[in-house]
Amino acid sequence: MTRFDSIHSTDSRESRRNRAIVVGAGLGGLAAAMRLGAKGYRVTVIDRLDVPGGRGSAIWQDGHRFDLGPTIVTVPQLYRKLWADCGRDFDTDVTLKALDPFYEIRWPDGTKFVAQQDTGKLRAEVAKLSPRDVPGFDRFLQDSAERYWFGFEDLGRRSMHQLWELIKVLPTFAWLRADRSVYAHAARRVKDERLRMALSFHPLFIGGDPLHVTSMYILVAYLEKEFGVHYAMGGLAGMARAMADVIEAQGGTLLMQTDVDEIVVRDGAVTGVRLTSGLEMGADVVVSNADAGHTYNTLLRNHKKRRWTPKRLKRTRYSMSLFVWYFGTKGTRDRWQDVGHHTILNGPRYKGLLRDIFIKGKLCDDMSLYVHRPSVTDPSVAPEGDDSFYVLSPVPHLGHDNGVNWAEEEPRYKAKMLKVLEDQLLPGLGDAISTEVVFTPETFRDRYLSPMGAGFSIEPRILQSAWFRPHNVSEEARGLYLVGAGTHPGAGVPGVVSTAEVLASLVPDAERVE
């Protein structure tokens, strides 16, 4: 997919006309390229990895496929609309398989909560843990629905780059108590601490601290229950490949294993990009799917910024990072029959662990784990009879002064993780592992060029959301736009794909050529 037949000069206005460059082939960048192609642009997508998908890509090793990042698809109508707007049929290109139950949450005391779509079964799960909390749980679901229709279907589908747009919605924010955290809202509805965790942990999927992220994000509970949780057969990497196929069918080009060194700006407007090879490529529209911090600090380093200065970005709070252990196991497909597609293992602490990760920047001995076992749904991820797993632990990002040397810490932390898994979920795991890959915060920094190795870009706190977040249309140069986790509406697969929908409302159609 690396082709240079679309290279064009940054000097000539005619050569740049109707051309668009997307920096980064993450899911946001691919969605942006699809939408720009549908608007008539000749699109070139440039990415440093060898396959499209960014954090949603995969690694193939010893017959196993390891999906590196997101594991589920929610709000499927969002992707069907994206494909339809490009004149394509999503369900022809991508096969979704509904997961029900969605995931199982386990606590050290042996209790469990099974998240699923049926309301009656969900209420029964609540009653098993705390019968008195069933009415409060019902209220929580109502609260979640209200915030979904306002936060996702309204604010999340339109640009918030004008201050007036924020001012207009402040009364609704106040009415919905957006100043309250996700955890605080859950705590007002239920009293059992296990249920408070089960109803408040979702911001971790987008890099947010449940103790501080705005309660607007309780909308995820409604989103999951109303539209279901799905797995894309072939993983998110397969869906990314399908997106790349649409782009190429539109006449677009993907340049993989290619690094962008700088976004070129002349007279206040973008004229294209310069590659690390020194080659310049021209375009009147440049969309950055790189992290917003990397975009402004590095790709625009030679351009004076008005708002997103290095000083401003240094004050910005980033999401936590991740320690992810990908491994294959030999002959285990029929073992661990009680372990499904997704399992969440809680450690002995919830609030204390969150404070250590997000506020103190302390790497702790205890941990909570997200366990992904896609082979129970998609046998293609592993050789016959084997399993592919990934196990994720939230950890502090590299910006904290915590003295962690990940080269030394990696084997120690992995050993702690193995003990938790063998004791609580997968007995005998160590003897079954046949191949493995480990990502530390340094991997996120080096592979994805993520500032401080953050897993999800800028943390979605209330004063880092909507108008306060880096805008989809940049204030720093005409013709520059942003998509992905670091801009509005934010992280998570539905969020980053929605950034491309917002982009499409801001970029004019390509000029008609007579």
Side-chain angles (χ1 to χ4, degrees), residues 128-144:
K128 281 195 305 185
L129 294 178
S130 177
R132 66 173 180 161
D133 279 325
V134 172
F137 173 73
D138 292 338
R139 287 280 306 279
F140 184 87
L141 289 182
Q142 294 171 10
D143 298 339
S144 175

Side-chain angles (χ1 to χ4, degrees), residues 1-3 33-34 43 45 52 88 241-256:
M1 293 188 302
T2 301
R3 306 207 320 259
M34 290 171 66
V43 183
V45 183
R88 300 282 290 250
R241 178 63 259 175
M243 297 171 84
D245 290 343
V246 173
I247 295 164
E248 293 181 327
Q250 293 171 328
T253 302
L254 281 84
L255 300 181
M256 306 306 297

Side-chain angles (χ1 to χ4, degrees), residues 65-72 99 102 230-232 235-236 324-327 339-344 369-378 381 387-392 421 425-426:
R65 188 189 78 236
F66 297 118
D67 301 319
L68 297 180
T71 64
I72 60 174
L99 301 179
F102 305 154
H230 305 80
Y231 176 81
L236 264 293
V324 195
W325 185 16
Y326 308 90
F327 55 83
V339 180
H341 195 118
H342 295 107
T343 307
I344 297 168
L369 303 178
Y370 177 77
V371 182
H372 181 223
R373 188 189 190 186
S375 32
V376 300
T377 303
D378 183 359
V381 302
D387 275 305
S388 291
F389 285 87
Y390 96 39
V391 182
L392 176 155
L421 291 169
L425 191 70
L426 305 170

